[in-house]
Amino acid sequence: MTVTIKDIAKIAKVSHTTVSRALNDSPLINQETKERIKALAKELNYTPNYNAKSLVLDKSYNIGLFFSTINEGTSATFLAEVIREANRVIRDSYNLVIRGIDDYKDFSSINKKKFDGILLLSQSAADNSFIYNVLDKEIPLIVLNREVKDPRVINILADDKKGAYTAGKHLLQQGHRKIAMIEGKQGFKSTELRRLGFLQALAEGNLIVSDQYIADGNYDLEGGYSSMRGIMANRHKPTAVFCFNDEMALGAIKAIKESGLKIPEDISVVGFDDSHFSAFLSPAITTVRRPIDKVTREGANKLMQLIQGDIQMKSETIYFDTKFIYRESTGQNI
Amino acid sequence: MTVTIKDIAKIAKVSHTTVSRALNDSPLINQETKERIKALAKELNYTPNYNAKSLVLDKSYNIGLFFSTINEGTSATFLAEVIREANRVIRDSYNLVIRGIDDYKDFSSINKKKFDGILLLSQSAADNSFIYNVLDKEIPLIVLNREVKDPRVINILADDKKGAYTAGKHLLQQGHRKIAMIEGKQGFKSTELRRLGFLQALAEGNLIVSDQYIADGNYDLEGGYSSMRGIMANRHKPTAVFCFNDEMALGAIKAIKESGLKIPEDISVVGFDDSHFSAFLSPAITTVRRPIDKVTREGANKLMQLIQGDIQMKSETIYFDTKFIYRESTGQNI
DNA sequence: TTTGCTATTGTTAACGTGTGCAAAGCGTGT
DNA sequence: ACACGCTTTGCACACGTTAACAATAGCAAA
């Protein structure tokens, strides 16, 4: 039915080895025969059987794109952007296989034969068992989005802490002193770093955030909304709130508007990520742009190099800078 | 290095054939030996080499999740929801490989050996060449989201036309007569069907939409925003606008607010899809819920059945109903 | 002529798994 | 004792490709 190199060999009156070499551009083969065979292959509509190649070359032609979870805590924008960017780099040299770590009970089915390389978008230390498993199996690995202190890991990430710091500085500059904070998913490293950076900025302005002004928003819309409602139930309302991502900022804005207050006149709102919708809200959200696209692109490229053996798997950490984006949702405290 | 069935065979003092059969639960093997071998395999930490399995069984263990494009015209929410739902069904029985049709120059690299089955989220007739290619190669295929009139295709989709019809009826009921329409990406079937359904509803109210009130929004935020600005530049502003998806509605709302008008008092806005953020905007968007989750789930399940040979690949079209969701962005025309 | 080198091609085995067919073991009915 | 059938196991090959090694031819140097 389907044509194999043996079929080509028979017609070309050479051995199948010669065909294999010709199609793989081996220098051992005479230029003329090479061209003759290639032409014949094209004419016969030959496509290599990758399953056979896989077996003998010990390659799967799969690269795994893993997320800590794809069911919750990972925003649609984030997921989509990463997939787009990774796909752009990988093209059709490999299959891009999407997975959530939390889909696995155990990692026995993850092995070198199934994945030529793995790109992990890691959110929390809970991923470590996965990471060490992958490293032990010697699968080329790049960890994005979270720092892992291991001499074998290549790390690429945005500087969350510095980004949150600039957000804090901004609010101080505008004269805010009653500042609230809606955190991301607990256990996620990004939550911790954004908290750290933000509080540090405030500390430099001799400000500490009181407990009633801190809430868990879980990185999603509902979380942002209900957290903000909780915060506004206080006797003294804050004049500004920092949400650890834009989705929660969206939820928070709804809560604020429902209570009849205005943004930014009564309450200023700062988000994080610069999700694609943020500029189109009214008011447009002041936020911190996180270069997921660059991080992903760099990571995917590095992974390709790792797989091809161009570079070694030794510890390296690359930071990409965030960028503060001043829009309409924040204003001077009066 | 890695343990194979031959290794197990040697230790268990049987042939590798017996091991293979035991691990695959063949009825030919004695119950006791079966258990003995399974226990041994577990103890030795055996994992099958799927590359070898692939070769002999002629299966790739990949299922392709194809989109018309993943770069534009496919909203992040849509992409993410489909992937989540498909992943939920597939689990780890197969690899979920994500691809955009427009990533391919030609389809020679798509074949039965590389994909055990394909789930296509089709947006336009431009996908037909892909579809026929896949059908000719006898790869199990399910087409979601768009109807393809071919006796070999299984189709699952939401009833876009009826959904848009309900949106039209709603605006009429509220007394609107000056109604605008921001369309989706041109060439996409969904754009055509939503237009058809909406205009039909209006026609039943003896209304036709004037050309100045129609714009191309391209299904994205920017498109919705600039289209709405264009429409509002007319001497007589509309009192209502139907956007073919929620992202564009978001953009349109921004344009309206910027011009100082109020929603829904001055202009009512209806969206489509019920994207996850729609309920959290202020005003919350009145929209038509499209059950992508159900469509995807049903499609993925059907594909599994196709692959396992439980069902045949004969034409079938399943519609899932949309649901009108009345929120705050529309109101009585006064 | 012999030897050695180079360029090109072929032979054969290997990768790890599944399967058709043969065969062995064992009981049962005649 | 024999034939028969059932259960359980093994042998040998297949899947399509790559690669180590052998082989051949041609040519130049000794």
Side-chain angles (χ1 to χ4, degrees), chain A residues 119-180:
Chain A
L119 208 57
L120 167 63
L121 279 113
S122 180
Q123 306 279 27
S124 88
D127 300 341
N128 282 352
S129 64
F130 174 83
I131 292 174
Y132 290 126
N133 198 284
V134 169
L135 287 174
D136 286 347
K137 288 173 178 164
E138 295 186 321
I139 307 174
L141 170 72
I142 306 257
V143 179
L144 308 183
N145 208 39
R146 185 177 72 91
E147 189 170 6
V148 178
K149 288 153 244 82
D150 186 286
R152 296 170 292 176
V153 164
I154 297 181
N155 253 167
I156 303 171
L157 37 100
D159 197 334
D160 280 20
K161 190 174 163 192
K162 208 194 277 179
Y165 178 87
T166 60
K169 279 291 182 191
H170 170 74
L171 290 179
L172 281 178
Q173 255 170 24
Q174 294 195 315
H176 294 281
R177 302 296 294 174
K178 291 193 292 184
I179 299 177

Side-chain angles (χ1 to χ4, degrees), chain B residues 56-89:
Chain B
V56 62
L57 294 182
D58 210 35
K59 283 183 66 171
S60 63
Y61 296 95
N62 289 155
I63 88 127
L65 182 57
F66 280 79
F67 294 83
S68 297
T69 167
I70 62 178
N71 294 311
E72 55 156 337
T74 304
S75 76
T77 342
F78 181 76
L79 194 72
E81 192 160 1
V82 169
I83 291 175
R84 283 191 184 124
E85 215 55 53
N87 181 67
R88 200 164 288 157
V89 175

Side-chain angles (χ1 to χ4, degrees), chain B residues 1 9 34 76 105 130 148 169 190 237 297 305 332:
Chain B
M1 201 61 238
K34 209 185 267 187
K105 284 263 181 295
F130 174 82
V148 178
K169 278 291 183 191
S190 54
K237 295 186 175 43
R297 204 175 317 138
Q305 292 173 39
Q332 211 68 30

Side-chain angles (χ1 to χ4, degrees), chain A residues 29-314:
Chain A
I29 301 295
N30 182 297
Q31 193 60 31
E32 287 174 36
T33 35
K34 210 185 266 185
E35 279 160 15
R36 185 166 59 94
I37 289 173
K38 278 185 180 173
L40 190 55
K42 182 166 250 173
E43 187 189 327
L44 294 179
N45 231 315
Y46 167 78
T47 52
N49 182 329
Y50 277 85
N51 295 335
K53 274 176 117 89
S54 286
L55 179 57
V56 62
L57 293 181
D58 211 36
K59 284 184 66 173
S60 63
Y61 296 95
N62 290 154
I63 89 125
L65 182 57
F66 281 78
F67 293 83
S68 297
T69 167
I70 60 177
N71 293 312
E72 55 155 337
T74 304
S75 76
T77 343
F78 181 75
L79 195 71
E81 192 160 1
V82 169
I83 291 174
R84 281 189 186 128
E85 215 54 54
N87 181 66
R88 199 163 289 156
V89 175
I90 306 295
R91 287 278 161 183
D92 55 355
S93 43
Y94 289 88
N95 292 322
L96 196 59
V97 178
I98 315 280
R99 278 289 156 79
I101 292 184
D102 59 346
D103 289 340
Y104 290 89
K105 284 261 181 295
D106 67 309
F107 303 136
S108 59
S109 65
I110 296 176
N111 55 57
K112 213 180 156 99
K113 308 217 182 296
K114 217 162 173 184
F115 295 103
D116 290 347
I118 288 179
L119 208 57
L120 167 63
L121 279 113
S122 180
Q123 306 279 27
S124 88
D127 300 341
N128 282 352
S129 64
F130 174 83
I131 292 174
Y132 290 126
N133 198 284
V134 169
L135 287 174
D136 286 347
K137 288 173 178 164
E138 295 186 321
I139 307 174
L141 170 72
I142 306 257
V143 179
L144 308 183
N145 208 39
R146 185 177 72 91
E147 189 170 6
V148 178
K149 288 153 244 82
D150 186 286
R152 296 170 292 176
V153 164
I154 297 181
N155 253 167
I156 303 171
L157 37 100
D159 197 334
D160 280 20
K161 190 174 163 192
K162 208 194 277 179
Y165 178 87
T166 60
K169 279 291 182 191
H170 170 74
L171 290 179
L172 281 178
Q173 255 170 24
Q174 294 195 315
H176 294 281
R177 302 296 294 174
K178 291 193 292 184
I179 299 177
M181 191 168 82
I182 301 183
E183 305 197 335
K185 200 168 162 68
Q186 293 305 315
F188 275 27
K189 191 67 184 179
S190 53
T191 299
E192 187 186 327
L193 290 174
R194 290 174 200 181
R195 180 196 303 131
L196 232 58
F198 188 67
L199 292 183
Q200 183 184 323
L202 298 200
E204 290 177 8
N206 295 315
L207 199 65
I208 54 168
V209 179
S210 80
D211 280 351
Q212 309 98 292
Y213 283 174
I214 301 180
D216 275 6
N218 205 39
Y219 275 145
D220 60 27
L221 290 160
E222 292 83 355
Y225 176 73
S226 55
S227 291
M228 196 64 213
R229 280 180 65 112
I231 289 170
M232 304 228 306
N234 282 303
R235 268 186 50 210
H236 299 286
K237 294 185 174 43
T239 66
V241 59
F242 173 45
C243 302
F244 283 20
N245 76 357
D246 286 353
E247 287 216 11
M248 294 193 300
L250 183 48
I253 288 173
K254 182 172 183 65
I256 295 169
K257 285 193 177 170
E258 276 184 5
S259 79
L261 296 182
K262 294 200 159 177
I263 303 168
E265 292 81 355
D266 299 314
I267 300 188
S268 286
V269 177
V270 183
F272 205 99
D273 279 359
D274 192 24
S275 294
H276 73 301
F277 58 78
S278 302
F280 286 90
L281 294 174
S282 18
I285 303 180
T286 294
T287 188
V288 178
R289 176 173 302 152
R290 186 166 57 130
I292 331 175
D293 50 348
K294 283 187 202 155
V295 168
T296 307
R297 201 175 321 137
E298 178 74 14
N301 278 320
K302 271 250 180 326
L303 183 59
M304 299 308 265
Q305 292 175 37
L306 251 187
I307 292 175
Q308 282 154 20
D310 296 348
I311 58 173
Q312 292 303 310
M313 207 150 139
K314 65 177 243 257

